[in-house]
Structures are given as structure tokens and as C-alpha cells.
Amino acid sequence: MATPENRRAHWRANLRLLSTLLILWAFVSFGCGIFFADALDQIRIGGFKLGFWMGQQGSIYVFVGIIAYYVWRMNKLDRQYDVHED
Amino acid sequence: MSAQAWTYLIVALSFALYLYIAYRSRAGSTKEFYVSGGGVKPIHNGMATAADWMSAASFMGMAGIISFQGRDGGVYLMGWTGGYVLLALLLAPYLRKFGKFTVPDFVGDRYYSQTARIVAVLCAIMVSFTYVAGQMRGVGIVFSRFLEVDINTGVIIGTGIVFVYAVLGGMKGITYTQVAQYCVLIFAYMVPAIFIAIMLTGNPIPQLGLGAATKEGGTYVLDLLDTLSTDLGFHAYTQGVKPVVDVAAITCALMVGTAGLPHVIVRFYTVPNVSGARMSAFWALLFIAILYTTAPAVAAFARTNLLNTVDNATYSEMPAWFTTWEETGLLTFDDKNGDGKIQYYNDKNTDPAFQTEVAAKGWAGNELTIDRDIIVLANPEIAQLPNWVIGLVAAGCLAAALSTAAGLLLVISTAFAHDLVKRCIKPDISEKGELMWARVAAGAAVVVAAYFGINPPGFVAQVVAFAFGLAAASFFPAILMGIFQKKMNREGAISGMIVGIIFTAVYISYFKFIVPEKNNPEHWLFGISPEGIGTIGMLINFAVAQIVARFTPEPPAEVQEEVEHIRVPRQLAR
């Protein structure tokens, strides 16, 4: 049964997951891609400067990864707290 | 076969496909018309969302902008993809659970207010029309360039096609047409990119080719590009020149705006359940990422090819593409020093050493003007790819423009038929009557869009900032607080939306239309350009809503309970 306690616990777990992932989201885009890009440009990987690469491609790969992890993790949480759809 | 013949053939085939799909999946009920019956598979919805989202601007405009801006172009890449993280984590699953047809539906019901609903309807219509005008113009330009008809005829052909599948098929027709359009557009984008990556670097994957060494010379593409650019007085390609604050504000506004655009949000109502909504957000971003990670490679390759081709080259020996694009007026050559050669460089560079060097060479100013929008379209010709690729790119661009136009027209028609007629004016209307209104509204919206396509208001290019700024400053905060803050009430949400929108609209109008000569960092608030001001508008919206909500009655118990319900996937007994 999806008891009110379960629902609250599910919501808290959800919020924890969201804040972790949103911090990562802000870190790779605003952090690596914009604010620290110049510093990261000192590091080179092949023909890429790291800061430039994060702004143009790297952050997008991380975004896809964030959503993938979120989908997987939320489906697990739904079951764990018994609030999943039938 | 000539490029012309290939173009006719591929465009005709792709249009026949869209119309066939639209006919097979025409809508019979309002639920099918508005949300495709609610049973779309997440992977299909992901493709449809990707096509819906990637407009003519993404397909032909973005790589062009990046090509000219270098690292600063990253705001579009990160902004337009990062928004999907917000959408997937903060909005999509809850809106799906809420389970109505439109964004104004959510705003109106959550804030138990017809005023809130009408404010949302007006925002949705404004945002969508702003956007659709640009799409129809894009369709016209592609037709006129590749089919050699005039722009107006092009707009009318495009309008006819959209009319058939948006009016007949509604969301159901649009969804499956957009799946096909995604396939066409991504194929059309990738083929030339792969060809050029192989020719320039020997690496067939454009994403990797960007960091590879060139086949001739062996220097890394990006290093070569930095050298070529600085030699001609431009800033180094991998260096940012815009102020960091502004870059961050624009990125943020584009992200939040993306998450608040009604035509993207409604797509999440079409999947069967909450986990489907999450999954389809994942597919959508994956499909979008294929194009968005290729774009910076296309931009860099095109820039390298361009600089190498035109640099001090003799005008009479230029390849055929050069003259074709000269005829469109999107590329112009003006031999200022009369030496018959093309000098393309940054004549605004004030560095004294560079000035002396230029003077010594006898250069009398930059002689070549290139419209940024031609980079992607001209790419196959610049790289001398086979004729069928040129036809393919034309078809891809049309797919991108038409799919977005159709999605937007549907938002306008549902906002009108469902949110205004059904929910506000005539609640007892029959389903048949509502469907009829939806079709009439879609038809009328198509005609208005075509009018804007033929007589574009001069400000089309500038109003894109409007669409994103308004979506960022209005919808996003209202929806977010509606889900995450149980106590947010009607008074708070409405005043937040109104103040946010007015602030953003006034700021953008002031710099874009009233005193455009003052539109520079010196006069901007906190150094934030009109493109990025939606970020501040959003913050103001949040702040006003919090303050007002504190001094006004909290929402009724049943509304708070409803919020509890949308937070969990399972349907609870009431």
C-alpha cells in the first residue's frame, strides 16, 4: 500500500536525488563550461582544451547521463516505496 | 542528376511520406487531437519531441552562429540541451501525473483561478506566434533557394502541407509525422557532417573529428582554427570574448525558457504514464544530443574550410558555390582595393601591430560579408559533396521547420479551443463542437502564420529572445512552485507571472525597439543583455510570488491534496 508515510519518504528521497543531480548539472554547465572554462583550458586532451570541450560537447553528454541515471533511480525508488504504477 | 533534380525528388518523397502518415493517423476525438490519445511510446515521443524542438534555427542557424562566435556559441549548445534536465527532473513527470491537455490547464487548475488560466493562455499564444513566424520564413527561404521559386510561393507550399497534417491529424497526426521528420532531419544533418569529418581529419565521427588532427599538415583542427582566426585579426576560436556574467545569464535563460516552452511541455502529456514521461525526456535529449554535439564540429569544419578557401583567393577563380550564394544576396564581395582578390579579415581589430601589417599588405577593409545562416546549407557545396547530399540537406531543413511549426500551431489551437472556449466561455460544449473549434483555430493560426511568413515583421530575428525570456519569466516558475511548494497560492502565482513578464518584456522592448543604439554592456542592468534578461525576470517572479503568498490566504485544502497526488506516480484512491 502507498501509505502516507511511504509517500512522504518517497518524496524526501526524490528531493535528495534531485538536489544531487541539479548540483552536478550546474557544476558541468555553469561551472566547467563557463566560470572555470579558462582554467580548465590549461588541460588538454588530444586536440581539445578541456574547458572549451565541456562547453561545446562534454556538458551535453553529462546531461544525457544525468537523465538516464534519474530514470533508473526513480523507477527503483517508486518500487521501494510502493508508489509505482501498476 | 543535377542538385536541382535531386532536391525536387527528395523533398517530394519526404512530403509524400508526411502526408501519408498524417492521413493514417488522423484524429477522431479531442483526446486524440490534443494529446494523441495519450498512448504514444516513450521512444516515439522522444523522437517527436526532438523534431518538435529542433527548428530551422537549430538545423541551419546554430552551427552558423557557433562558426562565427567560437566558444561563446556554447551558450546555445548548453542552454538548449540543459533545459531538458530541468524538464525531465522538475516538470515532465508531475505534469503527466496531473494529466490534463495543456499548460494553461495546469496553471488554471492548480491556482484555482480563471485569471491565472487566461494569463497562461495569452503567454502561450504570444510565445508560440513569435516562434512560428520565424519558422514559416525559414520554410520560404529554403524553398526559394533550393526549388528556385519565390519566397512567397515557398511559404504557401509549406503552409499547405502543415495545414493538412495539423488540422486533420491534430496531435496524433503530428506525433507520427514528427517521428518521420526527425529521421529525415538527423540523417540530413549527419551525412554531410560525416563526409566533411572524413575529408578534413580522416575520422568518420564528427564529434571526435573536432578534436582530431587535420589530414594535411597534421595540426589539430582547433589549433589550426585558432591560428587562422588570429592571423586574420579575429579572436581565437576557442577563446570566449563575451563577459562571463552575460554568458551565464543567457545560458540560464535558454535553459529555463526551454523547460517552459508550451509546445515542448505538452508533448509529455502524450505518453501513457509517469515513468513513460521520464523515459521520453531521456529519449528526447539523447536524440537532440546527436545533432547538438555534431553542430560544434560542423561549425569548426565549415569555418576552417571557409577561411582556407577565401583567404586572399582570386575572385575569378572561386568555386561555383560562391556565385550561387552571391545570387541570393546572402554572400557579398566588394573589391575595395581593386586587386581582384578576396580579403576577408576583421577590419574592426584595433591592435596597432595588426593595423600596420594590414596596411603593409595594401588591404582596404573587409571585402566579404557572409550571412551566418548559409553555413550549414552551403556546407555540402563548399566541401564538394555529391548532388544528392544537397537535396537531402534541403529536405532536412524543411523537416525541421515544418515539424516545429506544426507543434506550435497545435499549442495555439488548443489554447484557443480548449482553454478559452471550453474552459472559460462555453463549458457545456460538446466534444464534437470542441473538436470543430480546435480545427478552425488551427486553420486560422496557419493562415496568420503564413501571413507573417510572407510579410515578416522586421523584428523576427530579435523576438526569439522574447519567446525564451517570456517562457522563462512566466511559465517555468509558476509550474515549478505549483509542484514543489504546496502552499503557493493563486495570488502569489498570478502576481509573480505578471511582474516577471512585464519586467522581461519591458527590458527587451526598451533595448531592442525603443533605444536600440543603447543596446550595449554599458547600459545593461548588471551587464546582462536582453537575451539573458529572462533569468532576472524568473528570479523576480519567484521573489514576488513568495512575498505575496506570505500575506494572502493559503490555497484550499483540496488543492493542497491534489499537489500531494501529483508527487507520486501511482493513482491514489480518493
Side-chain angles (χ1 to χ4, degrees):
Chain A
M1 253 310 281
T3 59
E5 292 74 48
N6 262 354
R7 274 154 48 191
R8 267 195 292 277
H10 175 261
W11 183 245
R12 273 198 305 274
N14 181 354
L15 291 182
R16 264 199 309 277
L17 175 66
L18 285 184
S19 19
T20 318
L21 292 178
L22 286 177
I23 289 169
L24 181 62
W25 164 84
F27 174 73
V28 294
S29 49
F30 294 100
C32 301
I34 299 174
F35 292 116
F36 315 129
D38 284 328
L40 288 176
D41 273 349
Q42 305 308 315
I43 306 169
R44 291 193 65 120
I45 301 166
F48 287 117
K49 293 175 181 166
L50 190 57
F52 177 84
W53 180 77
M54 283 308 292
Q56 302 244 317
Q57 292 184 335
S59 54
I60 301 177
Y61 298 133
V62 180
F63 294 157
V64 176
I66 288 176
I67 300 185
Y69 180 76
Y70 168 78
V71 171
W72 175 79
R73 186 75 197 141
M74 277 310 279
N75 285 342
K76 263 182 77 169
L77 285 178
D78 288 354
R79 293 199 167 270
Q80 191 182 331
Y81 293 102
D82 195 31
V83 292
H84 58 281
E85 296 144 307
D86 17 74
Chain B
M1 242 165 54
S2 70
Q4 187 79 8
W6 272 115
T7 307
Y8 274 109
L9 181 69
I10 298 176
V11 169
L13 281 178
S14 63
F15 278 18
L17 176 70
Y18 308 152
L19 291 176
Y20 171 75
I21 294 172
Y23 175 77
R24 288 293 302 269
S25 51
R26 57 201 183 279
S29 66
T30 47
K31 194 165 185 223
E32 284 185 347
F33 194 92
Y34 293 145
V35 295
S36 189
V40 179
K41 279 202 185 123
I43 186 166
H44 292 157
N45 194 49
M47 278 192 201
T49 312
D52 202 353
W53 166 241
M54 291 191 285
S55 61
S58 290
F59 190 91
M60 62 175 191
M62 192 173 58
I65 296 177
I66 301 168
S67 203
F68 284 83
Q69 293 191 349
R71 188 173 101 187
D72 288 339
V75 297
Y76 299 100
L77 296 162
M78 287 192 290
W80 285 340
T81 52
Y84 276 83
V85 175
L86 298 177
L87 204 49
L89 272 53
L90 300 176
L91 307 185
Y94 311 103
L95 290 174
R96 178 64 195 87
K97 177 65 194 302
F98 181 75
K100 294 282 170 54
F101 292 148
T102 66
V103 178
D105 248 348
F106 177 84
V107 175
D109 288 0
R110 167 62 182 82
Y111 295 116
Y112 46 99
S113 151
Q114 290 296 70
T115 315
R117 190 188 307 278
I118 290 168
V119 171
V121 168
L122 292 179
C123 294
I125 292 179
M126 253 178 89
V127 170
S128 304
F129 262 124
T130 310
Y131 229 87
V132 85
Q135 300 306 314
M136 296 318 285
R137 191 67 188 165
V139 172
I141 291 174
V142 175
F143 270 112
S144 75
R145 165 64 186 86
F146 288 100
L147 301 182
E148 287 174 16
V149 294
D150 63 53
I151 292 189
N152 295 354
T153 317
V155 170
I156 290 165
I157 299 174
T159 310
I161 301 278
V162 174
F163 183 83
V164 172
Y165 65 75
V167 174
L168 181 80
M171 192 58 143
K172 196 163 176 227
I174 284 180
T175 301
Y176 295 103
T177 313
Q178 283 176 336
V179 171
Q181 283 165 333
Y182 175 77
C183 299
V184 171
L185 84 85
I186 200 70
F187 187 65
Y189 203 81
M190 294 310 288
V191 166
I194 291 170
F195 265 120
I196 296 170
I198 295 175
M199 284 164 49
L200 204 64
T201 67
N203 192 325
I205 302 168
Q207 282 88 341
L208 299 177
L210 179 60
T214 52
K215 274 208 287 204
E216 291 166 45
T219 41
Y220 288 120
V221 174
L222 291 169
D223 291 344
L224 175 68
L225 201 44
D226 276 350
T227 319
L228 286 173
S229 304
T230 42
D231 282 354
L232 295 173
F234 298 101
H235 65 87
Y237 190 81
T238 60
Q239 208 87 71
V241 286
K242 276 193 196 166
V244 170
V245 180
D246 194 29
V247 171
I250 297 177
T251 308
C252 183
L254 294 178
M255 283 173 169
V256 178
T258 295
L261 283 179
H263 70 291
V264 179
I265 294 178
V266 293
R267 288 237 52 102
F268 294 99
Y269 286 107
T270 65
V271 290
N273 55 25
V274 173
S275 63
R278 291 179 195 142
M279 199 59 203
S280 87
F282 165 74
W283 285 120
L285 183 59
L286 183 72
F287 291 132
I288 291 169
I290 298 173
L291 190 147
Y292 274 58
T293 52
T294 305
V298 169
F301 298 157
R303 184 87 181 154
T304 313
N305 276 338
L306 181 79
L307 293 183
N308 275 330
T309 313
V310 300
D311 182 28
N312 226 14
T314 309
Y315 176 66
S316 55
E317 290 166 10
M318 287 309 285
W321 62 265
F322 196 87
T323 30
T324 335
W325 284 99
E326 267 189 304
E327 281 159 23
T328 64
L330 296 172
L331 186 148
T332 46
F333 170 62
D334 168 22
D335 196 356
K336 289 182 183 152
N337 60 356
D339 65 352
K341 289 181 172 180
I342 300 168
Q343 276 101 40
Y344 177 60
Y345 69 102
N346 182 10
D347 52 9
K348 307 224 165 41
N349 191 330
T350 48
D351 178 42
F354 182 75
Q355 292 287 353
T356 331
E357 190 189 318
V358 166
K361 286 183 187 160
W363 292 0
N366 176 39
E367 300 177 345
L368 186 69
T369 333
I370 307 161
D371 189 286
R372 299 187 300 204
D373 284 348
I374 74 173
I375 289 292
V376 168
L377 298 179
N379 225 352
E381 295 167 276
I382 296 177
Q384 298 169 346
L385 299 181
N387 280 338
W388 62 268
V389 179
I390 298 169
L392 190 62
V393 169
C397 197
L398 289 170
L402 292 177
S403 59
T404 307
L408 291 163
L409 290 170
L410 202 73
V411 167
I412 297 170
S413 87
T414 41
F416 188 80
H418 182 73
D419 300 310
L420 272 186
V421 176
K422 163 90 181 168
R423 302 299 302 268
C424 291
I425 299 171
K426 207 175 159 202
D428 57 342
I429 194 168
S430 72
E431 172 158 331
K432 240 181 138 184
E434 194 187 340
L435 194 56
M436 202 240 347
W437 271 110
R439 292 208 156 110
V440 170
V446 166
V447 174
V448 177
Y451 174 82
F452 280 136
I454 293 171
N455 307 297
F459 52 84
V460 164
Q462 289 142 4
V463 289
V464 173
F466 254 123
F468 280 92
L470 293 185
S474 60
F475 286 131
F476 183 79
I479 300 173
L480 192 70
M481 292 183 296
I483 297 163
F484 288 84
Q485 200 179 359
K486 229 192 306 184
K487 307 265 180 205
M488 180 44 65
N489 62 8
R490 169 175 68 192
E491 290 78 5
I494 297 175
S495 42
M497 277 200 284
I498 292 177
V499 177
I501 285 181
I502 291 180
F503 168 79
T504 310
V506 167
Y507 190 89
I508 299 177
S509 321
Y510 181 74
F511 283 114
K512 291 282 185 183
F513 306 125
I514 301 174
V515 283
E517 70 279 2
K518 277 198 186 167
N519 189 10
N520 55 50
E522 253 173 76
H523 298 94
W524 293 340
L525 189 64
F526 311 126
I528 294 172
S529 60
E531 283 74 21
I533 202 65
T535 305
I536 304 293
M538 171 192 75
L539 296 176
I540 292 179
N541 182 336
F542 277 124
V544 168
Q546 297 307 328
I547 295 167
V548 171
R550 183 159 290 202
F551 296 105
T552 40
E554 62 175 52
E558 63 269 21
V559 170
Q560 299 197 34
E561 202 183 317
E562 175 73 41
V563 178
E564 289 268 313
H565 284 288
I566 60 171
R567 289 177 175 184
V568 288
R570 179 182 295 174
Q571 202 60 45
L572 301 169
R574 306 206 177 176

